[in-house]
Amino acid sequence: AENEPPWETPCTQLLIFVATPGCDGFPSLDSKENYKLSVSEDSLLLSADAVWGVLRGLETFSQLVGRDENGTYYINKTEIVDFPRFPHRGLLLDTSRHYLPLRAILETLDVMAYNKFNVFHWHIVDDPSFPYESMTFPELSKQGAFNAMTHVYTASDVQTVIEYARLRGIRVVAEFDTPGHTLSWGPGAPGLLTPCYLGKEPSGTYGPINPILNSTYQFVTSLFQEISTVFPDFFLHLGGDEVDFTCWKSNPKIRAFMKEMGFGEDYKKLESFYIQRLLNIISSLGKGYMVWQEVFDNGVKVRPDTIIHVWKQNSPPYMEEMANVTKAGYQALLSAPWYLNRISYGQDWMAAYQVEPLKFEGVAEQKDRVIGGEACMWGEYVDVTNLTPRLW
Amino acid sequence: EDSLWPLPQRFRSSGRQLQLAPGRFQLVHGAGSSAGPGCGLLQDAFRRYYEYMFGQSRRWTWGHGPLRGRAEPELLQLQVVIEAADPACHSHPHLASSEAYHLTVTEPVAILKADEIWGALRGLETFSQLVHEDDYGSFLVNESEIDDFPRFAHRGILLDTSRHYLPLKSILTNLDAMAFNKFNVLHWHIVDDQSFPYQSIYFPELSDKGAYSYNHIYTPTDVRLVIEYARLRGIRVIPEFDTPGHTQSWGKGQKDLLTPCYRGEQPTGSFGPINPILNTTYDFMTKFYKEISSVFPDAYIHLGGDEVNFDCWKSNPEVKEFMKKQGFGIDYAKLESYYIQKILDIVSSYNKGYVVWQEVFDNKAQLKPDTVVQVWMGNNYAHELSSVTAAGFTAILAAPWYLDYISYGQDWKKYYSVEPLNFPGSEKQKKLLIGGEACLWGEFVDATNLTPRLWPRASAVGERLWSSRNVTNLQDAYERLTNHRCRML
């Protein structure tokens, strides 16, 4: 009719409405990311329960804006109601196998936001290098980084990452993987790692963290005290994967300890002994924790709100593991079919896309315990020269 | 430790170190060289290699004071001596070019002798790999003597700019990387089914209608730039205009070039390979190859000839009629050969040699004796090499080196471990294998991932094609390659 404004009315404002305040907080596992987007002739409205939903809605809005052959920007009349199926949608970067400069991490956070990822799982240290600059134990990076001047993350770098992530609604969950995967900790923390033996003599090489010394637990307490303050998220990832028992077995003091504790020849019990104490330390620091599946598989006693991270493809098949973990009452995170570092020819995105995380035998409550998953980009063959095209 | 890549044929080092002062060191033409300051190619190389060795630093002003506090003697110059009577500085490299060089590094002056300028380029690359910085930032080089030449004369990289357009910058960066690895042929698979980015002077509609967009073309200036940038690095540019298959994009800008496919009596609206029965096809090809022959200076053109799907030809009544008239029966390979032979004649008339994919040989087309056959099919390629060389044709090997087939882990080892001459055949036959190519097909490759996907994996192929047959130790290669890779960055 004549009095109606022409359809192509210029849209001048996207109005944003947030129900709950909280611009200065950090996102968490319980954050509400739902939003409603309404685009019509008279109004553009984005409404959400929390600011995190606004971020998701803005991303969607930006994807709706198109440009025609004349260069004119336009947007279709649209109604969107959106919320995530899973609350934990993460990406793992490994900055130990290869150092990743800050700009690579920040760029990754940008692309995560384009794809509505909300957890940056920072696998920050491991065997090959220790780039995390600790104020309590500065020697760790001084001795353990690839280059203590250039291949480190200063406290300021870490805060930059955390804030950059926060502004995009992304949680930063740091992983300090122990007791295995800790070779780089050795040079800066003498006495921390288990000395391996060849017969009666130390061989000169080292193994996992030494679980029988009090000094170990003092060290771990102090370090994690710092980490708990530096990283604001409620959760810390404690690792606990792939502990090689050979070195422990070779060490006579450890064998003596095993006897004393009545563990027999079952080194899983020694591993659990360490993990148990570590988890207690973390709990007393007021943090929750995520662990790789071995911690669960080896029967360690963990808190009910522990999140078990399923990463092994087989032994057992990961869907079976998901069933087992959730059946035992724990929350589960799925990564096994999403190891994006394992490249292959062609459109392998399809295989990742076709994974159905809830495709396992279990009751509804079990399925509810699957809080999400993570795509992992392990760094053995990845650095800043190839990270972005390999990941996206 | 020196990390030379590819490993030279003969290399001796005394362990004695010489130091270089960036402010004083010079790359110059030696006395007795037939080349001088008028040789643009070498002048350009001198500047380029100086920058590779010392970086671009404002600190390197022409030095005055003596070197302080170091015991090592100083290396003041690398003198380059071209021994051929005519250095041919403005010429283009070709298959028979000499790339041999002799490098003597000793104080006060190092000497790089080469028959031709191409050998000088290879020698400069090696020299630049010898210069290293110590912990204090001093530039050092070990006293050494190197005698080097390539094992195979054709060492190529195939880039595909049809499946994805590659901006000029990407191609030029790749040429730099090729020079670091002593590759000497850019096999430019410039057009294919998906797009036609080559802007033709005689047939502008080909790219007007066939390119992805006007922004996705190579103008004549772009092409000249690639050819010259390559030439300055001793790299030949062999263009491939693949026909009669792989030509969907040609049909957009050239009406009636492709065969209309039929269902029964009716054309379906889709098209197949180039139509081999029309005179207009050969009129077009004659004119088209006239242009290509003059635009690309290399003595060879790659004519393609792979994966010709006969279904469309079989469906077309006029083609069927033609088959009958020619007495080809139902053997469409004969029709394919008929087409190829005519193209070979056209290209020969322009005094160009040609390279073809193996199907052309497999399907028994009548090839001229100097045809180069490129073996690409993975299944039992050793057998194919035997057949091709037994029939007296020159061969290039690509089959085990399709680098677009990515996989997890250190797959460079697989490429490194290929021994091209591992096929049944006489000495004479083995001589006919002139080299190989690492191919990076473009289905899943564009400027966002080309460089990390191609390098340093292609370096493995580079050493296999340059260095001696007995250079096979993976551990040693690993150590040199890791350093070489960081150097390339």
Side-chain angles (χ1 to χ4, degrees), chain B residues 114-133:
Chain B
D115 229 22
E116 298 182 5
I117 52 179
W118 319 113
L121 292 176
R122 303 298 169 238
L124 281 168
E125 175 60 39
T126 302
F127 180 77
S128 75
Q129 295 187 5
L130 288 168
V131 174
H132 57 276
E133 269 184 85

PDB file of all heavy atoms in Angstrom, chain B residues 114-133:
ATOM      1  N   ALA B 114      81.962 -21.595 -12.996  1.00  0.00           N
ATOM      2  CA  ALA B 114      80.911 -22.375 -13.638  1.00  0.00           C
ATOM      3  C   ALA B 114      81.007 -22.201 -15.142  1.00  0.00           C
ATOM      4  O   ALA B 114      81.418 -21.151 -15.616  1.00  0.00           O
ATOM      5  CB  ALA B 114      79.539 -21.924 -13.142  1.00  0.00           C
ATOM      6  N   ASP B 115      80.645 -23.227 -15.844  1.00  0.00           N
ATOM      7  CA  ASP B 115      80.639 -23.144 -17.292  1.00  0.00           C
ATOM      8  C   ASP B 115      79.664 -22.064 -17.746  1.00  0.00           C
ATOM      9  O   ASP B 115      79.982 -21.223 -18.571  1.00  0.00           O
ATOM     10  CB  ASP B 115      80.173 -24.492 -17.858  1.00  0.00           C
ATOM     11  CG  ASP B 115      81.097 -24.965 -18.931  1.00  0.00           C
ATOM     12  OD1 ASP B 115      82.253 -24.503 -18.949  1.00  0.00           O
ATOM     13  OD2 ASP B 115      80.662 -25.774 -19.766  1.00  0.00           O
ATOM     14  N   GLU B 116      78.472 -22.147 -17.198  1.00  0.00           N
ATOM     15  CA  GLU B 116      77.411 -21.225 -17.608  1.00  0.00           C
ATOM     16  C   GLU B 116      76.841 -20.490 -16.399  1.00  0.00           C
ATOM     17  O   GLU B 116      77.051 -20.900 -15.248  1.00  0.00           O
ATOM     18  CB  GLU B 116      76.296 -22.001 -18.326  1.00  0.00           C
ATOM     19  CG  GLU B 116      76.789 -22.679 -19.595  1.00  0.00           C
ATOM     20  CD  GLU B 116      75.663 -23.408 -20.340  1.00  0.00           C
ATOM     21  OE1 GLU B 116      74.487 -23.308 -19.937  1.00  0.00           O
ATOM     22  OE2 GLU B 116      75.980 -24.094 -21.327  1.00  0.00           O
ATOM     23  N   ILE B 117      76.095 -19.429 -16.684  1.00  0.00           N
ATOM     24  CA  ILE B 117      75.528 -18.620 -15.607  1.00  0.00           C
ATOM     25  C   ILE B 117      74.612 -19.447 -14.709  1.00  0.00           C
ATOM     26  O   ILE B 117      74.442 -19.149 -13.523  1.00  0.00           O
ATOM     27  CB  ILE B 117      74.742 -17.408 -16.156  1.00  0.00           C
ATOM     28  CG1 ILE B 117      73.712 -17.854 -17.200  1.00  0.00           C
ATOM     29  CG2 ILE B 117      75.717 -16.391 -16.738  1.00  0.00           C
ATOM     30  CD1 ILE B 117      72.888 -16.701 -17.772  1.00  0.00           C
ATOM     31  N   TRP B 118      74.010 -20.495 -15.265  1.00  0.00           N
ATOM     32  CA  TRP B 118      73.072 -21.315 -14.480  1.00  0.00           C
ATOM     33  C   TRP B 118      73.835 -22.014 -13.362  1.00  0.00           C
ATOM     34  O   TRP B 118      73.354 -22.146 -12.239  1.00  0.00           O
ATOM     35  CB  TRP B 118      72.344 -22.298 -15.396  1.00  0.00           C
ATOM     36  CG  TRP B 118      71.945 -21.652 -16.688  1.00  0.00           C
ATOM     37  CD1 TRP B 118      72.424 -21.937 -17.941  1.00  0.00           C
ATOM     38  CD2 TRP B 118      71.046 -20.548 -16.862  1.00  0.00           C
ATOM     39  NE1 TRP B 118      71.870 -21.092 -18.881  1.00  0.00           N
ATOM     40  CE2 TRP B 118      71.021 -20.223 -18.245  1.00  0.00           C
ATOM     41  CE3 TRP B 118      70.252 -19.793 -15.978  1.00  0.00           C
ATOM     42  CZ2 TRP B 118      70.246 -19.196 -18.776  1.00  0.00           C
ATOM     43  CZ3 TRP B 118      69.474 -18.762 -16.503  1.00  0.00           C
ATOM     44  CH2 TRP B 118      69.476 -18.472 -17.886  1.00  0.00           C
ATOM     45  N   GLY B 119      75.043 -22.473 -13.658  1.00  0.00           N
ATOM     46  CA  GLY B 119      75.863 -23.085 -12.620  1.00  0.00           C
ATOM     47  C   GLY B 119      76.253 -22.076 -11.557  1.00  0.00           C
ATOM     48  O   GLY B 119      76.351 -22.389 -10.373  1.00  0.00           O
ATOM     49  N   ALA B 120      76.467 -20.838 -11.983  1.00  0.00           N
ATOM     50  CA  ALA B 120      76.810 -19.787 -11.014  1.00  0.00           C
ATOM     51  C   ALA B 120      75.656 -19.590 -10.034  1.00  0.00           C
ATOM     52  O   ALA B 120      75.861 -19.425  -8.827  1.00  0.00           O
ATOM     53  CB  ALA B 120      77.136 -18.488 -11.728  1.00  0.00           C
ATOM     54  N   LEU B 121      74.426 -19.609 -10.544  1.00  0.00           N
ATOM     55  CA  LEU B 121      73.265 -19.451  -9.654  1.00  0.00           C
ATOM     56  C   LEU B 121      73.222 -20.586  -8.639  1.00  0.00           C
ATOM     57  O   LEU B 121      72.984 -20.371  -7.446  1.00  0.00           O
ATOM     58  CB  LEU B 121      71.959 -19.421 -10.460  1.00  0.00           C
ATOM     59  CG  LEU B 121      71.739 -18.197 -11.351  1.00  0.00           C
ATOM     60  CD1 LEU B 121      70.444 -18.351 -12.156  1.00  0.00           C
ATOM     61  CD2 LEU B 121      71.690 -16.920 -10.524  1.00  0.00           C
ATOM     62  N   ARG B 122      73.457 -21.816  -9.120  1.00  0.00           N
ATOM     63  CA  ARG B 122      73.416 -22.952  -8.186  1.00  0.00           C
ATOM     64  C   ARG B 122      74.524 -22.802  -7.146  1.00  0.00           C
ATOM     65  O   ARG B 122      74.334 -23.088  -5.969  1.00  0.00           O
ATOM     66  CB  ARG B 122      73.586 -24.288  -8.941  1.00  0.00           C
ATOM     67  CG  ARG B 122      72.566 -24.521 -10.038  1.00  0.00           C
ATOM     68  CD  ARG B 122      71.138 -24.585  -9.544  1.00  0.00           C
ATOM     69  NE  ARG B 122      70.217 -24.542 -10.668  1.00  0.00           N
ATOM     70  CZ  ARG B 122      69.249 -23.612 -10.825  1.00  0.00           C
ATOM     71  NH1 ARG B 122      69.040 -22.702  -9.904  1.00  0.00           N
ATOM     72  NH2 ARG B 122      68.481 -23.642 -11.907  1.00  0.00           N
ATOM     73  N   GLY B 123      75.691 -22.360  -7.598  1.00  0.00           N
ATOM     74  CA  GLY B 123      76.818 -22.190  -6.688  1.00  0.00           C
ATOM     75  C   GLY B 123      76.594 -21.093  -5.664  1.00  0.00           C
ATOM     76  O   GLY B 123      76.990 -21.210  -4.509  1.00  0.00           O
ATOM     77  N   LEU B 124      75.937 -20.026  -6.080  1.00  0.00           N
ATOM     78  CA  LEU B 124      75.641 -18.933  -5.139  1.00  0.00           C
ATOM     79  C   LEU B 124      74.713 -19.430  -4.044  1.00  0.00           C
ATOM     80  O   LEU B 124      74.865 -19.080  -2.871  1.00  0.00           O
ATOM     81  CB  LEU B 124      75.005 -17.750  -5.876  1.00  0.00           C
ATOM     82  CG  LEU B 124      75.978 -16.867  -6.636  1.00  0.00           C
ATOM     83  CD1 LEU B 124      75.234 -15.915  -7.566  1.00  0.00           C
ATOM     84  CD2 LEU B 124      76.865 -16.073  -5.674  1.00  0.00           C
ATOM     85  N   GLU B 125      73.731 -20.247  -4.439  1.00  0.00           N
ATOM     86  CA  GLU B 125      72.811 -20.791  -3.440  1.00  0.00           C
ATOM     87  C   GLU B 125      73.588 -21.624  -2.429  1.00  0.00           C
ATOM     88  O   GLU B 125      73.412 -21.479  -1.217  1.00  0.00           O
ATOM     89  CB  GLU B 125      71.732 -21.625  -4.125  1.00  0.00           C
ATOM     90  CG  GLU B 125      70.772 -22.342  -3.184  1.00  0.00           C
ATOM     91  CD  GLU B 125      69.984 -21.426  -2.255  1.00  0.00           C
ATOM     92  OE1 GLU B 125      69.557 -20.337  -2.687  1.00  0.00           O
ATOM     93  OE2 GLU B 125      69.832 -21.796  -1.067  1.00  0.00           O
ATOM     94  N   THR B 126      74.475 -22.482  -2.918  1.00  0.00           N
ATOM     95  CA  THR B 126      75.260 -23.312  -2.015  1.00  0.00           C
ATOM     96  C   THR B 126      76.136 -22.460  -1.113  1.00  0.00           C
ATOM     97  O   THR B 126      76.219 -22.683   0.100  1.00  0.00           O
ATOM     98  CB  THR B 126      76.137 -24.295  -2.816  1.00  0.00           C
ATOM     99  OG1 THR B 126      75.285 -25.090  -3.636  1.00  0.00           O
ATOM    100  CG2 THR B 126      76.953 -25.178  -1.898  1.00  0.00           C
ATOM    101  N   PHE B 127      76.817 -21.469  -1.711  1.00  0.00           N
ATOM    102  CA  PHE B 127      77.673 -20.597  -0.899  1.00  0.00           C
ATOM    103  C   PHE B 127      76.873 -19.938   0.213  1.00  0.00           C
ATOM    104  O   PHE B 127      77.300 -19.883   1.367  1.00  0.00           O
ATOM    105  CB  PHE B 127      78.344 -19.539  -1.775  1.00  0.00           C
ATOM    106  CG  PHE B 127      79.244 -18.623  -0.992  1.00  0.00           C
ATOM    107  CD1 PHE B 127      80.507 -19.057  -0.588  1.00  0.00           C
ATOM    108  CD2 PHE B 127      78.834 -17.346  -0.628  1.00  0.00           C
ATOM    109  CE1 PHE B 127      81.334 -18.227   0.164  1.00  0.00           C
ATOM    110  CE2 PHE B 127      79.650 -16.509   0.127  1.00  0.00           C
ATOM    111  CZ  PHE B 127      80.907 -16.948   0.518  1.00  0.00           C
ATOM    112  N   SER B 128      75.658 -19.471  -0.125  1.00  0.00           N
ATOM    113  CA  SER B 128      74.838 -18.794   0.891  1.00  0.00           C
ATOM    114  C   SER B 128      74.460 -19.760   2.001  1.00  0.00           C
ATOM    115  O   SER B 128      74.230 -19.344   3.136  1.00  0.00           O
ATOM    116  CB  SER B 128      73.589 -18.188   0.262  1.00  0.00           C
ATOM    117  OG  SER B 128      72.634 -19.191  -0.037  1.00  0.00           O
ATOM    118  N   GLN B 129      74.407 -21.054   1.681  1.00  0.00           N
ATOM    119  CA  GLN B 129      74.054 -22.042   2.702  1.00  0.00           C
ATOM    120  C   GLN B 129      75.244 -22.337   3.620  1.00  0.00           C
ATOM    121  O   GLN B 129      75.074 -22.814   4.738  1.00  0.00           O
ATOM    122  CB  GLN B 129      73.558 -23.350   2.055  1.00  0.00           C
ATOM    123  CG  GLN B 129      72.254 -23.185   1.296  1.00  0.00           C
ATOM    124  CD  GLN B 129      71.696 -24.512   0.799  1.00  0.00           C
ATOM    125  OE1 GLN B 129      72.226 -25.574   1.103  1.00  0.00           O
ATOM    126  NE2 GLN B 129      70.609 -24.450   0.041  1.00  0.00           N
ATOM    127  N   LEU B 130      76.457 -22.028   3.116  1.00  0.00           N
ATOM    128  CA  LEU B 130      77.660 -22.266   3.917  1.00  0.00           C
ATOM    129  C   LEU B 130      77.878 -21.178   4.958  1.00  0.00           C
ATOM    130  O   LEU B 130      78.482 -21.406   6.007  1.00  0.00           O
ATOM    131  CB  LEU B 130      78.894 -22.346   3.014  1.00  0.00           C
ATOM    132  CG  LEU B 130      79.033 -23.594   2.148  1.00  0.00           C
ATOM    133  CD1 LEU B 130      80.135 -23.393   1.117  1.00  0.00           C
ATOM    134  CD2 LEU B 130      79.321 -24.817   3.010  1.00  0.00           C
ATOM    135  N   VAL B 131      77.404 -19.965   4.634  1.00  0.00           N
ATOM    136  CA  VAL B 131      77.632 -18.847   5.548  1.00  0.00           C
ATOM    137  C   VAL B 131      76.662 -18.958   6.713  1.00  0.00           C
ATOM    138  O   VAL B 131      75.459 -19.087   6.511  1.00  0.00           O
ATOM    139  CB  VAL B 131      77.429 -17.504   4.816  1.00  0.00           C
ATOM    140  CG1 VAL B 131      77.532 -16.342   5.796  1.00  0.00           C
ATOM    141  CG2 VAL B 131      78.435 -17.368   3.699  1.00  0.00           C
ATOM    142  N   HIS B 132      77.212 -18.918   7.929  1.00  0.00           N
ATOM    143  CA  HIS B 132      76.349 -19.023   9.096  1.00  0.00           C
ATOM    144  C   HIS B 132      76.808 -18.049  10.169  1.00  0.00           C
ATOM    145  O   HIS B 132      77.913 -17.522  10.124  1.00  0.00           O
ATOM    146  CB  HIS B 132      76.351 -20.450   9.634  1.00  0.00           C
ATOM    147  CG  HIS B 132      77.726 -20.952   9.973  1.00  0.00           C
ATOM    148  ND1 HIS B 132      78.566 -21.504   9.027  1.00  0.00           N
ATOM    149  CD2 HIS B 132      78.405 -20.971  11.132  1.00  0.00           C
ATOM    150  CE1 HIS B 132      79.716 -21.839   9.602  1.00  0.00           C
ATOM    151  NE2 HIS B 132      79.644 -21.529  10.874  1.00  0.00           N
ATOM    152  N   GLU B 133      75.923 -17.788  11.106  1.00  0.00           N
ATOM    153  CA  GLU B 133      76.244 -16.883  12.209  1.00  0.00           C
ATOM    154  C   GLU B 133      76.596 -17.694  13.434  1.00  0.00           C
ATOM    155  O   GLU B 133      75.949 -18.708  13.696  1.00  0.00           O
ATOM    156  CB  GLU B 133      75.018 -16.021  12.540  1.00  0.00           C
ATOM    157  CG  GLU B 133      74.944 -14.724  11.789  1.00  0.00           C
ATOM    158  CD  GLU B 133      73.756 -13.873  12.233  1.00  0.00           C
ATOM    159  OE1 GLU B 133      73.896 -13.140  13.226  1.00  0.00           O
ATOM    160  OE2 GLU B 133      72.699 -13.950  11.566  1.00  0.00           O
TER     161      GLU B 133
END
